[in-house]
Amino acid sequence: MTTVRRPFTIDGKPFFTLGGQSRNSSGYNRAEAETAFYALKLLHGNTLEIPVYWEQVEPEEGIYDWSSVDTLLAMARENGVRLVLLWFGSWKNGVSSYIPTWVKKDLVRFPRAQGKDGNNKLVLSPFHEASCKADATAFAALMRYLREADSDEHTVVMIQVENEVGLMPESRDHSAIAEAAFRALVPRELIDYLTEHKGSLLSEVNELWGSTGYKDAGTWTEVFGESVWTDEVFMAWHMARYINKVAEAGEAEYALPMYANAWLVQNDKQKPGDYPSGGPVSRVMDIWRAVAPAIDLLAPDIYLPDFKAVCTSYVRSGNPLMIPEARQGPEAARNAFWAIAEHDAMCFAPFGIEDIDLNHPLIESYDVLRQLMPLITKYQGTAKMAGILQQNADEEGTTIDIGEYRANVRYNGQAKGQADMSYGLIVNIGPDEYLIAGNWFQVNFSPMTPGPRHAGILQVWEGVYEGEEWVPGRCLNGDETAAHWVAKLPPNDHDRFAGSDRPRILRVTLHRHD
């Protein structure tokens, strides 16, 4: 797996995808696409995630119709935004319903995965080269068309290869060819990868391999044991191998960054097959890395309440964080700050942005993040930026060591629900100077280096960024800073002039004293 530069650089300038994903189960028309572009602009977003459907662009084998792609390129340029295109090819949400009709009808040339009783599933089997070749050929044609139509404009910044791949409800394919592969030796390529990375494997794969004594040869059950978790590793290898071939074919035509996204494990009781087995869930990221170098990163679709835990599981082993789908409820307004500031996320994109109304809190959050984008791209990957996110009402706060000070963060003590949970970010922008953004928390500082024992606040300015220029507004004091002891967001819960329920930006200057 290659390393994607963070943040993106387009035309020599840093670029971060403040995104949104369109509703996309059914093929859109221009009017529906217009709604998505309008919603994105309302959000202050800069990138729309929207699919290209294999069944639409190749209605007959070898005959392509790029009119839907042309429409998206034209509309994105008209609206001044970028695109992440989602390739709905062999798989979407664990089934194969977006394949062309000529693929759907030919079960001999394009066989389906099978259950234990031999019944065909509504999903292509990843063990057949004809299916992989047909998908790869169509994807390569798409990438070739994008190179010809967009390599100067750079409207499309990234490609998702397939969507939430895997097999359900079985834990593995039981067709004859799959059974033969399962009884065969584990590919040498995987054994060599595991051996080379033995000291740095993720715990889930390491424990599975270690349960058999780290065998360096054998069948899948001999190397990994006999369980549904071995089934998942087996399917992950073959799913990733298939998708890597598709991605390689496209990359040879036009080398845009490419990622694969995952339908996540919903709870500790679920086993492979309860979610799409073989998909890039975090527990099998090592397997995907071993066989899919053309896939630059693996991305979670986050609809689970423990947002922090999912992010943490996906940044292991240096996997860059990208969130191509997320809940679009009020929590999106908070989670965006955490992903971007705490984990240097390359993208945050709630799903179904057409449904967002004029009062959605994400509008204010994206506006603040848009203003801060030059600073975010400057400080991503450093130790000078951190996220703040309260996930439960009983959480009181946290401490963050950043620069020469410890930031003592206290969450809003009145939080009763989702609307007033604490969220934001903090950036050390210079000696004794911090930028704080978000809402519903307050911060004081403690020195961490030799010198005077205490830290006080010299000034707190509320303001905005216009381009890269800081435009100060009010110089806060008195009740709004507890007599220069804390920086508060909101500065005053009853401030009718500024409003208490929206995020804002503060610049804080500190001084040391005994």
Side-chain angles (χ1 to χ4, degrees):
M1 180 173 292
T2 58
T3 299
V4 177
R5 292 185 61 191
R6 292 178 289 174
F8 287 125
T9 298
I10 299 177
D11 298 329
K13 297 180 180 180
F15 181 78
F16 176 88
T17 52
L18 269 182
Q21 186 168 147
S22 67
R23 288 201 173 276
N24 51 42
S25 289
S26 298
Y28 50 81
N29 55 38
R30 185 179 178 93
E32 291 171 335
E34 284 177 351
T35 303
F37 280 106
Y38 173 79
L40 182 70
K41 297 291 282 185
L42 176 69
L43 280 174
H44 308 287
N46 60 20
T47 306
L48 179 67
E49 296 180 2
I50 195 164
V52 173
Y53 305 92
W54 185 10
E55 65 176 343
Q56 287 189 359
V57 300
E58 194 180 11
E60 298 180 50
E61 187 169 9
I63 299 176
Y64 298 102
D65 177 1
W66 303 117
S67 57
S68 61
V69 177
D70 289 337
T71 296
L72 293 179
L73 293 176
M75 295 181 72
R77 293 165 186 170
E78 290 167 8
N79 286 276
V81 299
R82 309 284 180 171
L83 296 173
V84 172
L85 293 183
L86 318 177
W87 175 242
F88 284 7
S90 293
W91 292 283
K92 196 243 182 193
N93 294 23
V95 292
S96 299
S97 57
Y98 292 84
I99 55 180
T101 56
W102 53 271
V103 176
K104 288 179 183 176
K105 293 188 296 184
D106 193 345
L107 274 68
V108 175
R109 184 179 169 197
F110 309 110
R112 306 303 188 260
Q114 294 182 343
K116 292 180 180 179
D117 59 1
N119 63 311
N120 285 325
K121 303 297 180 181
L122 297 176
V123 57
L124 291 174
S125 171
F127 295 89
H128 295 270
E129 292 302 316
S131 300
C132 182
K133 184 178 180 180
D135 191 334
T137 300
F139 185 65
L142 169 65
M143 298 306 291
R144 182 165 57 251
Y145 188 79
L146 290 176
R147 185 191 70 222
E148 296 167 353
D150 193 49
S151 58
D152 291 332
E153 298 278 357
H154 302 301
T155 309
V156 180
V157 297
M158 200 171 192
I159 304 289
Q160 176 181 294
V161 188
E162 316 295 345
N163 183 84
E164 295 185 353
V165 306
L167 180 65
M168 299 172 67
E170 309 277 352
S171 57
R172 65 180 174 89
D173 186 354
H174 289 277
S175 62
I177 189 173
E179 286 290 344
F182 191 70
R183 292 191 298 270
L185 297 178
V186 174
R188 191 73 241 167
E189 184 182 357
L190 177 54
I191 295 293
D192 289 345
Y193 179 93
L194 295 175
T195 302
E196 181 182 351
H197 297 85
K198 186 175 180 180
S200 59
L201 292 173
L202 299 180
S203 59
E204 297 91 338
V205 167
N206 184 63
E207 290 173 8
L208 196 63
W209 187 29
S211 69
T212 66
Y214 298 104
K215 291 185 178 179
D216 61 3
T219 65
W220 290 89
T221 54
E222 289 171 343
V223 172
F224 295 106
E226 192 166 344
S227 70
V228 293
W229 308 109
T230 297
D231 291 353
E232 181 177 36
V233 167
F234 170 73
M235 289 302 296
W237 174 265
H238 288 283
M239 284 285 183
R241 176 179 173 272
Y242 183 117
I243 291 171
N244 186 67
K245 290 184 177 181
V246 174
E248 281 183 333
E251 186 179 48
E253 296 291 344
Y254 188 27
L256 289 178
M258 299 183 190
Y259 70 95
N261 64 324
W263 172 331
L264 299 182
V265 184
Q266 300 300 297
N267 56 62
D268 292 341
K269 295 181 180 180
Q270 284 198 326
K271 294 182 178 180
D274 296 327
Y275 55 90
S277 182
V281 296
S282 63
R283 65 183 303 117
V284 293
M285 288 198 300
D286 278 323
I287 307 302
W288 277 72
R289 287 192 179 100
V291 70
I295 298 298
D296 295 293
L297 57 95
L298 304 172
D301 292 345
I302 309 180
Y303 296 92
L304 299 175
D306 196 346
F307 186 82
K308 288 183 177 179
V310 176
C311 291
T312 298
S313 72
Y314 268 86
V315 296
R316 294 182 296 172
S317 301
N319 182 57
L321 183 63
M322 176 176 180
I323 303 172
E325 290 186 40
R327 285 182 176 180
Q328 51 124 297
E331 63 269 38
R334 303 188 302 275
N335 291 343
F337 277 88
W338 178 259
I340 292 167
E342 185 67 17
H343 292 297
D344 301 330
M346 301 171 65
C347 170
F348 181 84
F351 179 79
I353 59 169
E354 299 92 330
D355 298 337
I356 288 176
D357 60 37
L358 294 172
N359 297 316
H360 199 291
L362 186 61
I363 295 173
E364 297 279 5
S365 285
Y366 265 22
D367 186 37
V368 169
L369 290 167
R370 175 188 57 81
Q371 294 179 52
L372 296 178
M373 205 49 61
L375 281 175
I376 289 170
T377 55
K378 177 180 179 180
Y379 289 105
Q380 276 190 323
T382 74
K384 293 182 176 293
M385 181 169 63
I388 295 165
L389 179 63
Q390 179 186 18
Q391 292 195 134
N392 299 297
D394 57 356
E395 294 176 323
E396 295 183 354
T398 188
T399 58
I400 301 170
D401 294 345
I402 183 168
E404 297 184 352
Y405 293 88
R406 172 166 294 162
N408 305 297
V409 180
R410 184 173 180 81
Y411 298 151
N412 173 27
Q414 304 302 315
K416 296 182 177 66
Q418 294 293 325
D420 50 3
M421 294 285 193
S422 307
Y423 66 95
L425 57 79
I426 181 169
V427 188
N428 179 205
I429 58 175
D432 302 322
E433 190 171 9
Y434 289 81
L435 182 145
I436 300 170
N439 209 16
W440 300 119
F441 65 92
Q442 62 184 38
V443 186
N444 63 51
F445 294 86
S446 305
M448 294 196 305
T449 57
R453 293 177 298 166
H454 303 294
I457 293 177
L458 277 178
Q459 282 191 322
V460 180
W461 282 92
E462 183 182 64
V464 298
Y465 276 92
E466 294 181 358
E468 297 188 23
E469 181 181 355
W470 169 250
V471 180
R474 298 186 297 175
C475 185
L476 302 178
N477 208 323
D479 290 344
E480 279 71 37
T481 64
H484 273 194
W485 170 242
V486 296
K488 299 166 63 179
L489 289 166
N492 191 316
D493 290 355
H494 306 289
D495 187 346
R496 294 185 178 180
F497 172 74
S500 63
D501 60 350
R502 65 176 181 84
R504 68 195 75 202
I505 305 170
L506 305 180
R507 287 183 66 151
V508 181
T509 306
L510 307 178
H511 72 108
R512 300 274 295 269
H513 62 87
D514 286 322

